[in-house]
Amino acid sequence: MESRDPAQPMSPGEATQSGARPADRYGLLKHSREFLDFFWDIAKPEQETRLAATEKLLEYLRGRPKGSEMKYALKRLITGLGVGRETARPCYSLALAQLLQSFEDLPLCSILQQIQEKYDLHQVKKAMLRPALFANLFGVLALFQSGRLVKDQEALMKSVKLLQALAQYQNHLQEQPRKALVDILSEVSKATLQEILPEVLKADLNIILSSPEQLELFLLAQQKVPSKLKKLVGSVNLFSDENVPRLVNVLKMAASSVKKDRKLPAIALDLLRLALKEDKFPRFWKEVVEQGLLKMQFWPASYLCFRLLGAALPLLTKEQLHLVMQGDVIRHYGEHVCTAKLPKQFKFAPEMDDYVGTFLEGCQDDPERQLAVLVAFSSVTNQGLPVTPTFWRVVRFLSPPALQGYVAWLRAMFLQPDLDSLVDFSTNNQKKAQDSSLHMPERAVFRLRKWIIFRLVSIVDSLHLEMEEALTEQVARFCLFHSFFVTKKPTSQIPETKHPFSFPLENQAREAVSSAFFSLLQTLSTQFKQAPGQTQGGQPWTYHLVQFADLLLNHSHNVTTVTPFTAQQRQAWDRMLQTLKELEAHSAEARAAAFQHLLLLVGIHLLKSPAESCDLLGDIQTCIRKSLGEKPRRSRTKTIDPQEPPWVEVLVEILLALLAQPSHLMRQVARSVFGHICSHLTPRALQLILDVLNPETSEDENDRVVVTDDSDERRLKGQERGR
């Protein structure tokens, strides 16, 4: 059974029921039930309840600043500092801090004396030593959090001495008293720190480098009172050959102390700033971080290195960024990203994304550093495959010049992959693999190119409403060109032909580019009836891309299609362009825009699969012309078939076939066209739709047998032979 907290005494009624003497030891009978309940609520785990109780207590006491309630409140809060439940101590400490902040006439020295008298470390029993230690510690923290301690010289000196005494009980309090001491001294004035410094800092470098707190106190003094520190300790070079191993050990201890908190220790960032100030950053990074902490194979130390890298980004020059982004820390980070795949395994990537996003957002006026960091993270690869995802939210913080430079870098790396510039690595399992094909440069190039093309598409996907139209057009032309065309001879009229491949573009890679292109087309045409799917000229993006494809087809001396067009297919392409011009005369009609998108989309698919799209394109053009009231052009040798179905039935069959395609954009356009031809549906066209919705029914009464498997099919054939 849990014992009752000392801060929560029995009520008189409880004492009577238990048979105890109804003595009013705490003066409860003098106070209201509402007042007493405040102290119970302050210790509750719910934050809202605690804060509300503290505020109500302060409001209650403001009406009785000189009464017995104030004395009782102080007594209860001080008693609460030593309660058995450790989760309640911070609650009472914070409430005491707010009380001291609200009532500045309460003397801090008197409060500190009451705490020390109640929890006297020299007289307390051994079993109660730990609660007494924490009560003294949280008492000092309450004085500090009130904001008054650094202004009260006498209380400050007494608190410092108490913290130094508490620091001797490391088994119970660990380094918390020293951390509290550093926090307090970081808030005091320079004059006060000069006076206190000899009392809190030993003039012994071995002691200074024995713990993160001692070193942090040294760095604090070096920053605020360097002359006083030099008189006390002398001239100290923390980054000397002798001190580097000590710094590594101190940082290892700091990493262990924040293992559960998952944050960067303050001492690590302070050492980084000192190294930058003293122009010793390369030595600090190489010897302390990479050759020291990282070589320990201790994950808390590795996470400290990762956090230090992320926190250092805003502080480094372009040259220093190059140093850290080409070293062992970023390579080890890449290995962590690749191997941290289990559901419950800690993943550092989201934290690093926050660091990078904060850096990019904070240096909008420095596109060169933005570009350097983004290129560096994109160059961390696992056998050619970058460890950052293709869709990376941090790109939204890029300034226009940095974004343009990043897109240019991606395109250049796609055409001429520079594998030597990558920070590449292989996991342990990949190193053990005996398959030599896993380590060939061609495989790395393919993995890199596939990532690059989808990264380009993801940039447009997330930023196409904010991107400059010229940059969007560059990406779209780049994807279309390398999806369906090959350069025969460079020409200045087509910039895409002027940059050759250093590694040939294999069929598998070209398929990836084609897939990415249609994904890009989906992005640019998502709302093709609205402005976002159009260029500044008012034309859909697909229309401009078809024009670009036509330009390429007309430069047959310089460019050729991957799958060459036959004469019939080229004729179908030209007829499509002619139909597009004819549609412009009907631009006032709503269905003309839907027909235009359908024609453009199927026309682009002619580049991907000419044999499949050629006849489909011709049928669509015939239906469009008929629907607009024009007679289709026919050859003189071809007679008119009186049994030819109406155009709407042919178009319905085409649209139903397109709805079965895996392309979301194709299905979307088909649905839009359906909406514009509903008024023209014939009974037969409507039946075609119903047959798709309910395939078990058919218009023909003789076709009621549904073939469900091979046995049904064989039975049906036997019946036909019998008849």
Side-chain angles (χ1 to χ4, degrees):
M1 296 178 61
E2 291 186 2
S3 61
R4 179 181 295 273
D5 293 340
Q8 299 169 350
M10 289 185 183
S11 65
E14 292 175 327
T16 304
Q17 292 174 6
S18 64
R21 273 190 319 178
D24 188 15
R25 295 170 53 197
Y26 296 93
L28 300 180
L29 299 178
K30 298 179 181 179
H31 309 296
S32 67
R33 180 75 264 174
E34 178 187 8
F35 175 66
L36 297 177
D37 285 342
F38 294 153
F39 302 98
W40 290 82
D41 291 341
I42 286 174
K44 289 184 177 179
E46 298 82 8
Q47 183 179 6
E48 294 182 0
T49 303
R50 296 198 312 266
L51 295 177
T54 303
E55 184 59 35
K56 290 178 182 178
L57 174 63
L58 296 178
E59 184 178 352
Y60 183 90
L61 293 175
R62 288 189 186 103
R64 305 165 178 82
K66 302 293 185 180
S68 60
E69 288 87 351
M70 178 63 74
K71 294 181 180 179
Y72 180 75
L74 288 171
K75 189 173 184 179
R76 280 292 297 268
L77 295 177
I78 292 174
T79 302
L81 298 177
V83 297
R85 291 184 297 119
E86 296 186 0
T87 55
R89 291 192 195 112
C91 308
Y92 286 111
S93 177
L94 182 59
L96 179 59
Q98 292 178 319
L99 181 64
L100 296 175
Q101 185 180 27
S102 299
F103 299 93
E104 295 189 359
D105 57 329
L106 295 174
L108 296 187
C109 289
S110 175
I111 303 300
L112 186 61
Q113 183 179 356
Q114 293 180 47
I115 295 171
Q116 290 183 284
E117 288 177 353
K118 183 170 183 61
Y119 303 103
D120 191 342
L121 299 179
H122 300 291
Q123 298 181 4
V124 69
K125 295 181 180 179
K126 186 175 181 180
M128 296 300 296
L129 177 61
R130 180 179 175 85
L133 291 171
F134 275 101
N136 280 277
L137 175 62
F138 279 98
V140 175
L141 291 177
L143 268 59
F144 175 57
Q145 290 172 339
S146 70
R148 296 171 51 192
L149 183 61
V150 296
K151 305 174 186 177
D152 191 327
Q153 188 76 7
E154 183 181 357
L156 176 63
M157 294 300 297
K158 290 182 177 181
S159 298
V160 168
K161 290 181 180 180
L162 178 56
L163 289 174
Q164 288 180 307
L166 294 175
Q168 307 302 318
Y169 298 91
Q170 195 167 9
N171 292 338
H172 296 284
L173 302 178
Q174 298 179 357
E175 298 296 331
Q176 294 186 57
R178 297 189 186 278
K179 290 181 180 178
L181 183 61
V182 173
D183 291 340
I184 292 172
L185 295 182
S186 63
E187 299 291 334
V188 302
S189 63
K190 293 182 179 180
T192 303
L193 183 58
Q194 283 183 346
E195 182 180 348
I196 298 178
L197 191 61
E199 300 292 332
V200 297
L201 185 66
K202 302 295 182 183
D204 186 347
L205 193 59
N206 293 326
I207 297 178
I208 292 173
L209 294 174
S210 64
S211 71
E213 291 73 27
Q214 290 283 358
L215 180 57
E216 196 167 359
L217 188 57
F218 172 85
L219 295 178
L220 175 64
Q222 190 177 51
Q223 179 185 359
K224 297 184 70 171
V225 287
S227 57
K228 181 68 175 181
L229 179 66
K230 190 172 183 180
K231 292 179 181 178
L232 182 64
V233 182
S235 181
V236 177
N237 179 13
L238 286 180
F239 303 106
S240 65
D241 294 339
E242 179 184 1
N243 291 333
V244 162
R246 298 178 180 180
L247 292 178
V248 173
N249 289 329
V250 169
L251 289 176
K252 182 183 179 182
M253 286 188 283
S256 299
S257 67
V258 298
K259 181 168 58 175
K260 295 182 179 180
D261 298 334
R262 294 181 179 177
K263 63 180 183 180
L264 178 66
I267 185 62
L269 195 56
D270 289 341
L271 283 174
L272 171 67
R273 290 195 175 101
L274 179 64
L276 290 170
K277 181 180 178 181
E278 296 183 354
D279 199 20
K280 295 178 181 177
F281 175 76
R283 182 179 180 84
F284 168 74
W285 193 260
K286 285 292 184 182
E287 299 187 19
V288 177
V289 178
E290 292 187 340
Q291 300 299 323
L293 282 175
L294 208 60
K295 296 296 183 182
M296 289 182 173
Q297 296 183 348
F298 178 56
W299 274 115
S302 298
Y303 295 143
L304 187 149
C305 294
F306 299 161
R307 293 186 177 101
L308 193 60
L309 169 64
L313 294 177
L315 307 175
L316 304 181
T317 63
K318 189 176 178 181
E319 293 74 18
Q320 291 166 341
L321 284 172
H322 181 76
L323 171 67
V324 301
M325 298 305 293
Q326 291 288 325
D328 295 336
V329 173
I330 195 66
R331 180 178 283 106
H332 189 47
Y333 167 73
E335 293 176 6
H336 163 76
V337 173
C338 286
T339 55
K341 301 295 184 182
L342 297 177
K344 294 184 179 180
Q345 194 170 0
F346 175 62
K347 299 171 181 61
F348 192 84
E351 197 172 332
M352 184 62 81
D353 291 350
D354 292 338
Y355 278 119
V356 176
T358 301
F359 163 75
L360 294 177
E361 190 176 15
C363 63
Q364 296 281 332
D365 57 343
D366 195 346
E368 289 189 2
R369 291 173 69 217
Q370 280 191 329
L371 180 60
V373 167
L374 212 60
V375 167
F377 274 97
S378 302
S379 300
V380 183
T381 57
N382 171 225
Q383 295 186 346
L385 179 63
V387 298
T388 57
T390 53
F391 182 77
W392 204 16
R393 294 185 181 276
V394 299
V395 297
R396 69 185 187 275
F397 297 120
L398 289 178
S399 60
L403 180 61
Q404 188 170 4
Y406 185 54
V407 169
W409 178 83
L410 290 170
R411 293 169 58 194
M413 284 293 286
F414 181 89
L415 297 170
Q416 298 180 343
D418 184 5
L419 299 182
D420 293 335
S421 67
L422 302 177
V423 182
D424 198 73
F425 64 90
S426 298
T427 62
N428 291 331
N429 291 336
Q430 290 170 337
K431 293 175 182 177
K432 295 175 184 177
Q434 301 296 324
D435 190 353
S436 59
S437 64
L438 296 177
H439 306 281
M440 295 178 63
E442 291 78 9
R443 178 175 179 269
V445 168
F446 167 71
R447 287 158 65 90
L448 178 62
R449 280 176 169 165
K450 184 177 179 180
W451 179 89
I452 286 175
I453 202 68
F454 281 103
R455 166 56 67 87
L456 284 170
V457 171
S458 74
I459 289 175
V460 177
D461 186 26
S462 58
L463 300 177
H464 74 279
L465 297 180
E466 295 85 10
M467 282 176 62
E468 296 178 0
E469 185 176 301
L471 189 59
T472 302
E473 185 176 1
Q474 286 179 16
V475 175
R477 285 170 56 119
F478 184 84
C479 293
L480 184 146
F481 183 87
H482 295 294
S483 295
F484 310 118
F485 294 92
V486 178
T487 301
K488 294 168 62 176
K489 183 180 179 181
T491 174
S492 59
Q493 293 179 320
I494 306 174
E496 288 77 9
T497 64
K498 297 162 68 173
H499 304 286
F501 287 107
S502 58
F503 286 84
L505 189 64
E506 300 176 349
N507 291 334
Q508 190 178 7
R510 197 177 296 277
E511 290 176 2
V513 179
S514 175
S515 175
F517 169 71
F518 283 105
S519 177
L520 175 65
L521 204 60
Q522 163 70 24
T523 296
L524 297 177
S525 305
T526 297
Q527 298 172 323
F528 57 84
K529 293 198 292 185
Q530 302 177 16
Q534 299 177 349
T535 62
Q536 291 182 357
Q539 292 290 352
W541 276 104
T542 47
Y543 185 82
H544 284 267
L545 293 175
V546 165
Q547 286 183 322
F548 175 58
D550 187 57
L551 172 67
L552 298 176
L553 290 171
N554 291 329
H555 281 76
S556 56
H557 294 292
N558 305 97
V559 177
T560 183
T561 54
V562 175
T563 304
F565 276 2
T566 64
Q568 181 184 5
Q569 291 162 357
R570 180 56 193 265
Q571 188 178 10
W573 175 271
D574 293 337
R575 285 202 306 269
M576 176 201 68
L577 296 177
Q578 181 61 34
T579 305
L580 288 173
K581 292 181 180 179
E582 294 170 0
L583 279 172
E584 292 180 0
H586 300 270
S587 58
E589 300 183 31
R591 58 178 171 172
F595 287 152
Q596 182 191 46
H597 282 278
L598 177 63
L599 198 61
L600 289 169
L601 190 57
V602 177
I604 288 180
H605 274 79
L606 186 66
L607 299 170
K608 180 181 180 181
S609 50
E612 299 176 6
S613 303
C614 183
D615 294 338
L616 180 63
L617 195 59
D619 291 341
I620 291 176
Q621 292 176 85
T622 301
C623 293
I624 290 175
R625 286 171 177 161
K626 285 186 175 182
S627 72
L628 297 176
E630 298 180 3
K631 295 182 179 180
R633 298 178 182 177
R634 299 182 180 274
S635 171
R636 293 181 179 180
T637 60
K638 188 174 182 179
T639 59
I640 299 176
D641 185 2
Q643 301 299 323
E644 182 178 356
W647 67 268
V648 69
E649 296 177 9
V650 177
L651 189 56
V652 165
E653 290 184 344
I654 293 173
L655 295 177
L656 290 174
L658 294 179
L659 286 174
Q661 296 294 319
S663 169
H664 176 69
L665 177 59
M666 186 74 81
R667 297 196 302 271
Q668 188 179 30
V669 173
R671 285 196 296 267
S672 175
V673 176
F674 260 124
H676 292 286
I677 65 172
C678 287
S679 60
H680 301 276
L681 289 180
T682 64
R684 172 61 182 169
L686 182 59
Q687 188 62 45
L688 290 172
I689 299 174
L690 295 176
D691 289 345
V692 173
L693 297 175
N694 189 7
E696 294 186 0
T697 61
S698 175
E699 182 182 356
D700 190 351
E701 293 293 334
N702 295 324
D703 288 337
R704 292 189 178 274
V705 180
V706 179
V707 180
T708 59
D709 55 24
D710 292 342
S711 61
D712 289 338
E713 187 177 4
R714 287 194 297 269
R715 185 165 58 253
L716 179 60
K717 290 181 179 179
Q719 292 173 358
E720 291 176 349
R721 284 196 299 268
R723 286 196 295 269

